[in-house]
Amino acid sequence: MSEICSKYELDTPCLVLDLDKLDANLTKMQGRAREAGKALRPHAKTHKCSRLAKLQIEAGAIGVCAAKLSEAEALVEAGVSGVLITGPVVGVGKGRRLIALLGRDPGVLVTVDHPEVVRRLAIAAEKAHLVVDVLVDIDPGSFRTGVAPGNALGLGRLVASFASLRLRGVQSYAGHVQHIVGFEKRRSASLAALSEAVTAFRAMRSISADCDIFTGAGTGTHAIDMTIPEVTELQVGSYAVMDADYSRIGCETNAACNDEFDFALTLLTTVVSTNQEEFVTVDAGLKTIYVDNSAPYPVKKELAHLHYSWFGDEYGKLSVSEGGPIPELREVVELVTSHCDPTVNLHDRFWLTRGDAVVGEWPIDLRGRSQ
Amino acid sequence: MSEICSKYELDTPCLVLDLDKLDANLTKMQGRAREAGKALRPHAKTHKCSRLAKLQIEAGAIGVCAAKLSEAEALVEAGVSGVLITGPVVGVGKGRRLIALLGRDPGVLVTVDHPEVVRRLAIAAEKAHLVVDVLVDIDPGSFRTGVAPGNALGLGRLVASFASLRLRGVQSYAGHVQHIVGFEKRRSASLAALSEAVTAFRAMRSISADCDIFTGAGTGTHAIDMTIPEVTELQVGSYAVMDADYSRIGCETNAACNDEFDFALTLLTTVVSTNQEEFVTVDAGLKTIYVDNSAPYPVKKELAHLHYSWFGDEYGKLSVSEGGPIPELREVVELVTSHCDPTVNLHDRFWLTRGDAVVGEWPIDLRGRSQ
């Protein structure tokens, strides 16, 4: 790679990470958390990269979150500390592997949302002579994981009843609220979603002296949730690299566009076929870019007349509107991604840039770790 | 892995490949092609696995197709011969790498859909003292890649004018026709889509004695396109492993369900959260299974009351209908995938099974090769 100097010489399609923008995003979120008196434990499910996780910790984060056990294993293997597994660790062989992971790093935090999971974990931990830090996952109305708030205290009591478990607090992540368009709508929805978990957390603190963690919030609600006194830490993910979908939801100071964080992550794609008059075909299809609520769009303002849409597994369509010039064959177009998390998961590396210069690469070492 | 004997003991989510069903699918398609006097060059973009490609060649295929240059590189590296690159090879560094690949395996076939691509390839091939086999890609109305049929002969003449290129024929793949529901509708659409390419191919044969390849067809149209005398080979992909979407389109003998090929590929997912009455949460989300036109569904008939739907990047929802029993925590459910190609691309390996027994694994070594 030593001969490459410009990102426009990279083989496409590929992901590019602008280090200056990334640094600015990490610094801004860390500063906000600090001002609000909250800890930051960013979610690594977004970037799937232990090098980026370490940068977040260098910037002041107390650790990172992992959605799945296999992500946590890769993070611990890479020397990342303070890992919180936000999803349920349930399945054949998972318990044994979790205990092995806790043996390597007893600082790993685990969430639970079912008495059976608590009992199995307690027995396995006892056998391994471990004391495991446990958070009760409280459902804020996503209905995806977590106990109903009314059942949280009961599950917390069960956790506290085992000598091999330490009740450290609660998790309540309102995934369904993160992408609500409009800051005020999102504010009322998020405060309402978390209110019962706050009540449950207060009650839980009275049964365990170790109960000092309330983790939640995403990029969409971090500015809202950090106003809740009981929330102790934020598990924001997308802010680090940003995407089109988190842009369109708006922020407190800009209703049209959430411009508090910059697009550190972009995707380069090449025009590979030009036989039509109103559009061209590019080499990034759904095996390269995950498109959901918001379409990807060109970074450069002079290319704002180009609109990306689906064109099969291997290709995208760049349509031309407003009489703008049609891209030429071999032209490289830089796109803001639609949904960063699943797009990152399609790639093996980030190319690192400063300005247009490629300055290195990071392996996306958690890529594909869905177990 | 030696201690695992049942697929239900595998870590989930994961992909499982039933070798008996796979063998039956490969044998059936190969037999049909043989009976019709056509060659088979199956598309490796579906399975992304050089081991599976070799099995297809052992079953009688003359080679395999690759959508992208980087797939072709991996196939040649793995010792797979008869590789046809179905997509345009355009972009920084791509020409140099293509020539290097052709140097390693001069049997690799290349498609072109633009005079500039032809000229660049001709010059590079001449410098490398290579003669490259070239197909003219003719657009059958997908508008994605390929020249308009009326421009095909002209591009063919350009190819034939270079001593470093050998005009071998045409490609016309009607991707937009493959998923039309109903065999008769699909038949008329496919025959209409390919008719102009057939005319162009006839004309092209008169300008080159080497012009002996007409490649096209997918799983949805193979039975139709093999009735076209000019078609010489089929680039079918999904038939090998099948998915829910190719099932719902119906076939000649069964309008409701394309049951000619069996579901060799399935996905195992575990119930990880059970706090709701009408659904449970499983560990396969959109980073594990790509869902488009048809939802994944359980393989076992006794689980037909379970319906998979999206539940975020990491999770799926299994809803219960018709008063059927709700799955238990830790239960493993085997799903027919929605769209096999992009789902396979999310995984690193196929677990190989005979019945319920795990008998090995194959790396999905072309995974992520989108360049």
PDB file of all heavy atoms in Angstrom, chain A residues 148-177:
ATOM      1  N   ALA A 148     -39.995  -6.511  31.658  1.00  0.00           N
ATOM      2  CA  ALA A 148     -40.882  -5.365  31.873  1.00  0.00           C
ATOM      3  C   ALA A 148     -40.411  -4.652  33.136  1.00  0.00           C
ATOM      4  O   ALA A 148     -39.951  -5.295  34.090  1.00  0.00           O
ATOM      5  CB  ALA A 148     -42.321  -5.845  32.030  1.00  0.00           C
ATOM      6  N   PRO A 149     -40.504  -3.293  33.174  1.00  0.00           N
ATOM      7  CA  PRO A 149     -40.000  -2.555  34.349  1.00  0.00           C
ATOM      8  C   PRO A 149     -40.553  -3.093  35.666  1.00  0.00           C
ATOM      9  O   PRO A 149     -39.826  -3.158  36.668  1.00  0.00           O
ATOM     10  CB  PRO A 149     -40.471  -1.124  34.074  1.00  0.00           C
ATOM     11  CG  PRO A 149     -40.557  -1.026  32.585  1.00  0.00           C
ATOM     12  CD  PRO A 149     -41.005  -2.382  32.117  1.00  0.00           C
ATOM     13  N   GLY A 150     -41.805  -3.533  35.657  1.00  0.00           N
ATOM     14  CA  GLY A 150     -42.420  -4.053  36.877  1.00  0.00           C
ATOM     15  C   GLY A 150     -41.779  -5.335  37.381  1.00  0.00           C
ATOM     16  O   GLY A 150     -41.924  -5.699  38.550  1.00  0.00           O
ATOM     17  N   ASN A 151     -41.063  -6.039  36.508  1.00  0.00           N
ATOM     18  CA  ASN A 151     -40.406  -7.290  36.911  1.00  0.00           C
ATOM     19  C   ASN A 151     -38.917  -7.119  37.199  1.00  0.00           C
ATOM     20  O   ASN A 151     -38.232  -8.089  37.541  1.00  0.00           O
ATOM     21  CB  ASN A 151     -40.575  -8.347  35.817  1.00  0.00           C
ATOM     22  CG  ASN A 151     -42.037  -8.712  35.599  1.00  0.00           C
ATOM     23  OD1 ASN A 151     -42.841  -8.633  36.530  1.00  0.00           O
ATOM     24  ND2 ASN A 151     -42.383  -9.095  34.382  1.00  0.00           N
ATOM     25  N   ALA A 152     -38.434  -5.881  37.028  1.00  0.00           N
ATOM     26  CA  ALA A 152     -36.987  -5.663  37.139  1.00  0.00           C
ATOM     27  C   ALA A 152     -36.480  -5.875  38.563  1.00  0.00           C
ATOM     28  O   ALA A 152     -35.443  -6.517  38.783  1.00  0.00           O
ATOM     29  CB  ALA A 152     -36.641  -4.256  36.656  1.00  0.00           C
ATOM     30  N   LEU A 153     -37.214  -5.352  39.527  1.00  0.00           N
ATOM     31  CA  LEU A 153     -36.749  -5.468  40.913  1.00  0.00           C
ATOM     32  C   LEU A 153     -36.688  -6.933  41.341  1.00  0.00           C
ATOM     33  O   LEU A 153     -35.730  -7.359  42.005  1.00  0.00           O
ATOM     34  CB  LEU A 153     -37.670  -4.668  41.841  1.00  0.00           C
ATOM     35  CG  LEU A 153     -37.215  -4.558  43.287  1.00  0.00           C
ATOM     36  CD1 LEU A 153     -35.848  -3.877  43.406  1.00  0.00           C
ATOM     37  CD2 LEU A 153     -38.248  -3.805  44.139  1.00  0.00           C
ATOM     38  N   GLY A 154     -37.690  -7.706  40.938  1.00  0.00           N
ATOM     39  CA  GLY A 154     -37.702  -9.137  41.260  1.00  0.00           C
ATOM     40  C   GLY A 154     -36.481  -9.835  40.689  1.00  0.00           C
ATOM     41  O   GLY A 154     -35.821 -10.640  41.361  1.00  0.00           O
ATOM     42  N   LEU A 155     -36.150  -9.516  39.429  1.00  0.00           N
ATOM     43  CA  LEU A 155     -34.989 -10.152  38.808  1.00  0.00           C
ATOM     44  C   LEU A 155     -33.699  -9.662  39.487  1.00  0.00           C
ATOM     45  O   LEU A 155     -32.756 -10.442  39.685  1.00  0.00           O
ATOM     46  CB  LEU A 155     -34.953  -9.860  37.301  1.00  0.00           C
ATOM     47  CG  LEU A 155     -34.019 -10.751  36.479  1.00  0.00           C
ATOM     48  CD1 LEU A 155     -34.469 -12.216  36.521  1.00  0.00           C
ATOM     49  CD2 LEU A 155     -33.928 -10.283  35.030  1.00  0.00           C
ATOM     50  N   GLY A 156     -33.699  -8.386  39.863  1.00  0.00           N
ATOM     51  CA  GLY A 156     -32.542  -7.849  40.590  1.00  0.00           C
ATOM     52  C   GLY A 156     -32.346  -8.565  41.914  1.00  0.00           C
ATOM     53  O   GLY A 156     -31.215  -8.892  42.301  1.00  0.00           O
ATOM     54  N   ARG A 157     -33.448  -8.827  42.606  1.00  0.00           N
ATOM     55  CA  ARG A 157     -33.359  -9.560  43.886  1.00  0.00           C
ATOM     56  C   ARG A 157     -32.792 -10.953  43.671  1.00  0.00           C
ATOM     57  O   ARG A 157     -32.000 -11.448  44.476  1.00  0.00           O
ATOM     58  CB  ARG A 157     -34.748  -9.661  44.528  1.00  0.00           C
ATOM     59  CG  ARG A 157     -35.221  -8.380  45.172  1.00  0.00           C
ATOM     60  CD  ARG A 157     -36.186  -8.674  46.354  1.00  0.00           C
ATOM     61  NE  ARG A 157     -36.502  -7.418  47.035  1.00  0.00           N
ATOM     62  CZ  ARG A 157     -37.589  -6.672  46.782  1.00  0.00           C
ATOM     63  NH1 ARG A 157     -38.466  -7.067  45.868  1.00  0.00           N
ATOM     64  NH2 ARG A 157     -37.796  -5.551  47.446  1.00  0.00           N
ATOM     65  N   LEU A 158     -33.219 -11.593  42.580  1.00  0.00           N
ATOM     66  CA  LEU A 158     -32.689 -12.929  42.278  1.00  0.00           C
ATOM     67  C   LEU A 158     -31.180 -12.851  42.051  1.00  0.00           C
ATOM     68  O   LEU A 158     -30.422 -13.670  42.583  1.00  0.00           O
ATOM     69  CB  LEU A 158     -33.396 -13.505  41.038  1.00  0.00           C
ATOM     70  CG  LEU A 158     -32.965 -14.921  40.632  1.00  0.00           C
ATOM     71  CD1 LEU A 158     -33.361 -15.949  41.688  1.00  0.00           C
ATOM     72  CD2 LEU A 158     -33.557 -15.302  39.276  1.00  0.00           C
ATOM     73  N   VAL A 159     -30.746 -11.873  41.275  1.00  0.00           N
ATOM     74  CA  VAL A 159     -29.303 -11.696  41.035  1.00  0.00           C
ATOM     75  C   VAL A 159     -28.576 -11.516  42.373  1.00  0.00           C
ATOM     76  O   VAL A 159     -27.567 -12.183  42.650  1.00  0.00           O
ATOM     77  CB  VAL A 159     -29.042 -10.474  40.117  1.00  0.00           C
ATOM     78  CG1 VAL A 159     -27.543 -10.150  40.050  1.00  0.00           C
ATOM     79  CG2 VAL A 159     -29.601 -10.716  38.715  1.00  0.00           C
ATOM     80  N   ALA A 160     -29.119 -10.622  43.195  1.00  0.00           N
ATOM     81  CA  ALA A 160     -28.457 -10.298  44.467  1.00  0.00           C
ATOM     82  C   ALA A 160     -28.433 -11.477  45.429  1.00  0.00           C
ATOM     83  O   ALA A 160     -27.624 -11.506  46.374  1.00  0.00           O
ATOM     84  CB  ALA A 160     -29.147  -9.093  45.113  1.00  0.00           C
ATOM     85  N   SER A 161     -29.290 -12.465  45.186  1.00  0.00           N
ATOM     86  CA  SER A 161     -29.359 -13.610  46.102  1.00  0.00           C
ATOM     87  C   SER A 161     -28.212 -14.594  45.898  1.00  0.00           C
ATOM     88  O   SER A 161     -28.014 -15.493  46.704  1.00  0.00           O
ATOM     89  CB  SER A 161     -30.703 -14.339  45.930  1.00  0.00           C
ATOM     90  OG  SER A 161     -30.728 -15.052  44.703  1.00  0.00           O
ATOM     91  N   PHE A 162     -27.470 -14.453  44.822  1.00  0.00           N
ATOM     92  CA  PHE A 162     -26.355 -15.368  44.549  1.00  0.00           C
ATOM     93  C   PHE A 162     -25.021 -14.714  44.921  1.00  0.00           C
ATOM     94  O   PHE A 162     -24.744 -13.583  44.505  1.00  0.00           O
ATOM     95  CB  PHE A 162     -26.325 -15.760  43.067  1.00  0.00           C
ATOM     96  CG  PHE A 162     -27.478 -16.634  42.654  1.00  0.00           C
ATOM     97  CD1 PHE A 162     -28.567 -16.098  41.966  1.00  0.00           C
ATOM     98  CD2 PHE A 162     -27.481 -17.995  42.958  1.00  0.00           C
ATOM     99  CE1 PHE A 162     -29.624 -16.896  41.584  1.00  0.00           C
ATOM    100  CE2 PHE A 162     -28.547 -18.798  42.567  1.00  0.00           C
ATOM    101  CZ  PHE A 162     -29.624 -18.245  41.887  1.00  0.00           C
ATOM    102  N   ALA A 163     -24.209 -15.446  45.651  1.00  0.00           N
ATOM    103  CA  ALA A 163     -22.900 -14.909  46.036  1.00  0.00           C
ATOM    104  C   ALA A 163     -21.973 -14.776  44.836  1.00  0.00           C
ATOM    105  O   ALA A 163     -21.016 -13.991  44.861  1.00  0.00           O
ATOM    106  CB  ALA A 163     -22.266 -15.817  47.093  1.00  0.00           C
ATOM    107  N   SER A 164     -22.253 -15.520  43.772  1.00  0.00           N
ATOM    108  CA  SER A 164     -21.373 -15.496  42.593  1.00  0.00           C
ATOM    109  C   SER A 164     -21.751 -14.393  41.604  1.00  0.00           C
ATOM    110  O   SER A 164     -21.116 -14.254  40.563  1.00  0.00           O
ATOM    111  CB  SER A 164     -21.420 -16.854  41.883  1.00  0.00           C
ATOM    112  OG  SER A 164     -22.763 -17.160  41.510  1.00  0.00           O
ATOM    113  N   LEU A 165     -22.809 -13.637  41.918  1.00  0.00           N
ATOM    114  CA  LEU A 165     -23.225 -12.533  41.053  1.00  0.00           C
ATOM    115  C   LEU A 165     -23.217 -11.239  41.867  1.00  0.00           C
ATOM    116  O   LEU A 165     -23.495 -11.247  43.064  1.00  0.00           O
ATOM    117  CB  LEU A 165     -24.633 -12.768  40.491  1.00  0.00           C
ATOM    118  CG  LEU A 165     -24.884 -14.079  39.738  1.00  0.00           C
ATOM    119  CD1 LEU A 165     -26.330 -14.143  39.250  1.00  0.00           C
ATOM    120  CD2 LEU A 165     -23.920 -14.241  38.562  1.00  0.00           C
ATOM    121  N   ARG A 166     -22.898 -10.145  41.194  1.00  0.00           N
ATOM    122  CA  ARG A 166     -22.917  -8.848  41.853  1.00  0.00           C
ATOM    123  C   ARG A 166     -23.893  -7.964  41.076  1.00  0.00           C
ATOM    124  O   ARG A 166     -23.685  -7.728  39.878  1.00  0.00           O
ATOM    125  CB  ARG A 166     -21.506  -8.234  41.835  1.00  0.00           C
ATOM    126  CG  ARG A 166     -21.306  -7.044  42.768  1.00  0.00           C
ATOM    127  CD  ARG A 166     -19.910  -6.448  42.593  1.00  0.00           C
ATOM    128  NE  ARG A 166     -18.843  -7.281  43.115  1.00  0.00           N
ATOM    129  CZ  ARG A 166     -17.806  -7.736  42.406  1.00  0.00           C
ATOM    130  NH1 ARG A 166     -17.687  -7.431  41.131  1.00  0.00           N
ATOM    131  NH2 ARG A 166     -16.887  -8.477  42.962  1.00  0.00           N
ATOM    132  N   LEU A 167     -24.954  -7.513  41.711  1.00  0.00           N
ATOM    133  CA  LEU A 167     -25.951  -6.672  41.040  1.00  0.00           C
ATOM    134  C   LEU A 167     -25.392  -5.268  40.886  1.00  0.00           C
ATOM    135  O   LEU A 167     -25.290  -4.519  41.854  1.00  0.00           O
ATOM    136  CB  LEU A 167     -27.255  -6.649  41.844  1.00  0.00           C
ATOM    137  CG  LEU A 167     -28.377  -5.776  41.255  1.00  0.00           C
ATOM    138  CD1 LEU A 167     -28.820  -6.299  39.889  1.00  0.00           C
ATOM    139  CD2 LEU A 167     -29.582  -5.717  42.206  1.00  0.00           C
ATOM    140  N   ARG A 168     -25.038  -4.910  39.645  1.00  0.00           N
ATOM    141  CA  ARG A 168     -24.386  -3.623  39.408  1.00  0.00           C
ATOM    142  C   ARG A 168     -25.327  -2.521  38.916  1.00  0.00           C
ATOM    143  O   ARG A 168     -24.946  -1.371  38.840  1.00  0.00           O
ATOM    144  CB  ARG A 168     -23.238  -3.802  38.409  1.00  0.00           C
ATOM    145  CG  ARG A 168     -22.050  -4.592  38.953  1.00  0.00           C
ATOM    146  CD  ARG A 168     -21.375  -3.882  40.129  1.00  0.00           C
ATOM    147  NE  ARG A 168     -20.986  -2.518  39.830  1.00  0.00           N
ATOM    148  CZ  ARG A 168     -19.861  -2.161  39.225  1.00  0.00           C
ATOM    149  NH1 ARG A 168     -18.994  -3.086  38.875  1.00  0.00           N
ATOM    150  NH2 ARG A 168     -19.589  -0.884  38.982  1.00  0.00           N
ATOM    151  N   GLY A 169     -26.552  -2.920  38.513  1.00  0.00           N
ATOM    152  CA  GLY A 169     -27.472  -1.883  38.065  1.00  0.00           C
ATOM    153  C   GLY A 169     -28.352  -2.345  36.927  1.00  0.00           C
ATOM    154  O   GLY A 169     -28.706  -3.533  36.860  1.00  0.00           O
ATOM    155  N   VAL A 170     -28.686  -1.398  36.046  1.00  0.00           N
ATOM    156  CA  VAL A 170     -29.634  -1.724  34.978  1.00  0.00           C
ATOM    157  C   VAL A 170     -29.134  -1.191  33.629  1.00  0.00           C
ATOM    158  O   VAL A 170     -28.327  -0.272  33.543  1.00  0.00           O
ATOM    159  CB  VAL A 170     -31.036  -1.119  35.254  1.00  0.00           C
ATOM    160  CG1 VAL A 170     -31.553  -1.536  36.618  1.00  0.00           C
ATOM    161  CG2 VAL A 170     -31.045   0.388  35.110  1.00  0.00           C
ATOM    162  N   GLN A 171     -29.686  -1.813  32.600  1.00  0.00           N
ATOM    163  CA  GLN A 171     -29.560  -1.317  31.234  1.00  0.00           C
ATOM    164  C   GLN A 171     -30.964  -1.069  30.717  1.00  0.00           C
ATOM    165  O   GLN A 171     -31.856  -1.901  30.914  1.00  0.00           O
ATOM    166  CB  GLN A 171     -28.869  -2.349  30.343  1.00  0.00           C
ATOM    167  CG  GLN A 171     -29.006  -2.039  28.844  1.00  0.00           C
ATOM    168  CD  GLN A 171     -28.306  -3.056  27.966  1.00  0.00           C
ATOM    169  OE1 GLN A 171     -27.132  -2.927  27.672  1.00  0.00           O
ATOM    170  NE2 GLN A 171     -29.048  -4.086  27.556  1.00  0.00           N
ATOM    171  N   SER A 172     -31.176   0.078  30.072  1.00  0.00           N
ATOM    172  CA  SER A 172     -32.446   0.291  29.389  1.00  0.00           C
ATOM    173  C   SER A 172     -32.162   1.096  28.130  1.00  0.00           C
ATOM    174  O   SER A 172     -31.920   2.302  28.185  1.00  0.00           O
ATOM    175  CB  SER A 172     -33.459   1.007  30.302  1.00  0.00           C
ATOM    176  OG  SER A 172     -34.770   0.859  29.776  1.00  0.00           O
ATOM    177  N   TYR A 173     -32.144   0.398  27.018  1.00  0.00           N
ATOM    178  CA  TYR A 173     -31.794   1.014  25.741  1.00  0.00           C
ATOM    179  C   TYR A 173     -33.030   1.062  24.839  1.00  0.00           C
ATOM    180  O   TYR A 173     -33.553   0.028  24.431  1.00  0.00           O
ATOM    181  CB  TYR A 173     -30.673   0.226  25.049  1.00  0.00           C
ATOM    182  CG  TYR A 173     -30.411   0.728  23.641  1.00  0.00           C
ATOM    183  CD1 TYR A 173     -29.833   1.983  23.433  1.00  0.00           C
ATOM    184  CD2 TYR A 173     -30.768  -0.029  22.530  1.00  0.00           C
ATOM    185  CE1 TYR A 173     -29.615   2.465  22.153  1.00  0.00           C
ATOM    186  CE2 TYR A 173     -30.551   0.449  21.235  1.00  0.00           C
ATOM    187  CZ  TYR A 173     -29.976   1.692  21.064  1.00  0.00           C
ATOM    188  OH  TYR A 173     -29.773   2.180  19.801  1.00  0.00           O
ATOM    189  N   ALA A 174     -33.465   2.276  24.543  1.00  0.00           N
ATOM    190  CA  ALA A 174     -34.687   2.448  23.742  1.00  0.00           C
ATOM    191  C   ALA A 174     -34.341   2.560  22.260  1.00  0.00           C
ATOM    192  O   ALA A 174     -34.329   3.645  21.678  1.00  0.00           O
ATOM    193  CB  ALA A 174     -35.451   3.682  24.225  1.00  0.00           C
ATOM    194  N   GLY A 175     -34.071   1.430  21.664  1.00  0.00           N
ATOM    195  CA  GLY A 175     -33.692   1.404  20.251  1.00  0.00           C
ATOM    196  C   GLY A 175     -34.763   1.983  19.339  1.00  0.00           C
ATOM    197  O   GLY A 175     -34.464   2.619  18.326  1.00  0.00           O
ATOM    198  N   HIS A 176     -36.017   1.788  19.711  1.00  0.00           N
ATOM    199  CA  HIS A 176     -37.130   2.229  18.871  1.00  0.00           C
ATOM    200  C   HIS A 176     -37.304   3.747  18.875  1.00  0.00           C
ATOM    201  O   HIS A 176     -38.032   4.292  18.070  1.00  0.00           O
ATOM    202  CB  HIS A 176     -38.429   1.558  19.331  1.00  0.00           C
ATOM    203  CG  HIS A 176     -38.831   1.915  20.742  1.00  0.00           C
ATOM    204  ND1 HIS A 176     -38.062   1.577  21.833  1.00  0.00           N
ATOM    205  CD2 HIS A 176     -39.911   2.576  21.227  1.00  0.00           C
ATOM    206  CE1 HIS A 176     -38.653   2.011  22.930  1.00  0.00           C
ATOM    207  NE2 HIS A 176     -39.771   2.622  22.597  1.00  0.00           N
ATOM    208  N   VAL A 177     -36.616   4.427  19.799  1.00  0.00           N
ATOM    209  CA  VAL A 177     -36.756   5.879  19.920  1.00  0.00           C
ATOM    210  C   VAL A 177     -35.644   6.614  19.152  1.00  0.00           C
ATOM    211  O   VAL A 177     -35.820   7.751  18.730  1.00  0.00           O
ATOM    212  CB  VAL A 177     -36.727   6.280  21.419  1.00  0.00           C
ATOM    213  CG1 VAL A 177     -36.724   7.794  21.588  1.00  0.00           C
ATOM    214  CG2 VAL A 177     -37.915   5.658  22.162  1.00  0.00           C
TER     215      VAL A 177
END
